[in-house]
Amino acid sequence: MPRARGNAFVCHLASDPIVVSHIATLPKKSKKVADFLFEDSGNQRMILESKASFKQSTDAPSPIKSTLKAALTEQVDYWMTRISPAASKGYAVYSCLRESGNPVPTALIFVDPPKQRIRQPIEFPRGHVRRRNYAAWLRLMGLTETADNLSRTNMHERLQTILPVIRVGTRRFGVVVQYSLEKHGRWLAIGLDVEALKAIGSSLNDDDGPLLAYNEAPAGDQFGSIFADGSYLGLIDERSQFEGYQPFLL
């Protein structure tokens, strides 16, 4: 649902250092956090708490309403009134997962609270969600030091990192190879759009302007999975898609 609504960038709230620092000051019973903070290309934010169950065999309203109400009041509402710049939308989502033979199909139910006035704001800098979004991809690529530096909002010494560059349609991606099928000349690769990598390099130099200006990219799955934040995962053909190596300041 969030991606379909144009929210290409995401960070995990409960593990975010700003949130961890804040909840350390709260009474124990108040330490519940919504799952995710999403952001679209216009820097509009959305908070989401996700619930799921295999036990709800029907869409009986009472237990579903009870779960969603608790998620809203205990996890979404509080953060809607704290995060600044504010999230314009908040959702609690309940996925009722069922086997294919069940007469009642799988259901996805969600509710959203009205927008509320911010109280005692917790400042999430404008580039924060995007930094955390790309830090997760960088860790998956094995660039853990770069990911850690990107998660911190100050200047860091950048190192020249040389990555294989592939072409997927009209797009170029800097990738790392997860697995090589040498016999068939194929790679299983994960990476990021070349322009996104350049923007990440600017953020590491304490300039989030290019990262904030990087717009959602057209998603697709013709040559693997291309996601709206410019990330890529898929099998590539070394002979037809590999363009060479390119240095990035990361």
Side-chain angles (χ1 to χ4, degrees):
M1 183 184 73
R3 300 287 187 180
R5 291 174 177 265
N7 294 284
F9 311 98
V10 61
C11 74
H12 185 245
L13 270 183
S15 61
D16 190 282
I18 294 177
V19 172
V20 171
S21 177
H22 175 75
I23 62 177
T25 67
L26 301 176
K28 186 175 181 180
K29 65 179 181 180
S30 304
K31 294 183 179 181
K32 291 189 176 181
V33 186
D35 286 324
F36 303 109
L37 176 62
F38 287 89
E39 191 172 275
D40 65 16
S41 58
N43 300 316
Q44 296 297 305
R45 291 173 169 177
M46 184 265 281
I47 291 173
L48 183 140
E49 167 61 20
S50 179
K51 301 292 185 185
S53 173
F54 289 97
K55 296 180 180 180
Q56 295 289 350
S57 58
T58 68
D59 292 336
S62 294
I64 291 174
K65 284 182 178 179
S66 176
T67 298
L68 288 172
K69 181 179 179 181
L72 277 180
T73 57
E74 296 174 12
Q75 293 170 275
V76 176
D77 283 349
Y78 178 86
W79 297 98
M80 288 288 291
T81 64
R82 291 301 187 279
I83 288 177
S84 177
S88 57
K89 284 287 186 180
Y91 295 92
V93 179
Y94 195 14
S95 301
C96 298
L97 305 173
R98 299 169 184 127
E99 295 182 359
S100 57
N102 195 308
V104 181
T106 290
L108 180 68
I109 302 108
F110 67 92
V111 291
D112 60 313
K115 190 173 181 179
Q116 303 177 55
R117 182 173 62 87
I118 292 181
R119 300 184 179 94
Q120 300 174 326
I122 306 166
E123 192 66 31
F124 272 61
R126 277 295 181 190
H128 188 78
V129 175
R130 298 195 186 208
R131 280 174 172 258
R132 301 289 291 180
N133 178 89
Y134 288 114
W137 281 106
L138 290 165
R139 287 191 184 93
L140 195 57
M141 292 169 68
L143 302 175
T144 53
E145 184 176 352
T146 301
D148 289 343
N149 288 340
L150 186 64
S151 298
R152 306 182 185 105
T153 54
N154 55 341
M155 189 180 297
H156 295 275
E157 181 181 356
R158 299 177 297 170
L159 300 177
Q160 181 172 274
T161 303
I162 298 175
L163 297 175
V165 172
I166 63 166
R167 183 170 291 277
V168 183
T170 60
R171 308 269 301 281
R172 299 175 71 243
F173 296 86
V175 301
V176 295
V177 177
Q178 302 293 310
Y179 186 74
S180 176
L181 301 171
E182 294 183 12
K183 182 179 178 180
H184 304 285
R186 297 291 182 98
W187 299 345
L188 176 61
I190 182 170
L192 292 168
D193 186 288
V194 164
E195 297 305 315
L197 285 166
K198 292 177 182 177
I200 289 168
S202 294
S203 285
L204 291 166
N205 201 36
D206 203 25
D207 177 12
D208 282 344
L211 200 64
L212 290 169
Y214 183 81
N215 290 322
E216 294 174 36
D221 57 8
Q222 184 178 358
F223 303 97
S225 295
I226 301 174
F227 301 97
D229 60 355
S231 52
Y232 172 82
L233 174 64
L235 271 178
I236 61 172
D237 189 316
E238 179 183 359
R239 291 160 293 189
S240 62
Q241 292 179 267
F242 174 57
E243 293 199 332
Y245 295 91
Q246 182 171 331
F248 298 91
L249 283 176
L250 301 172

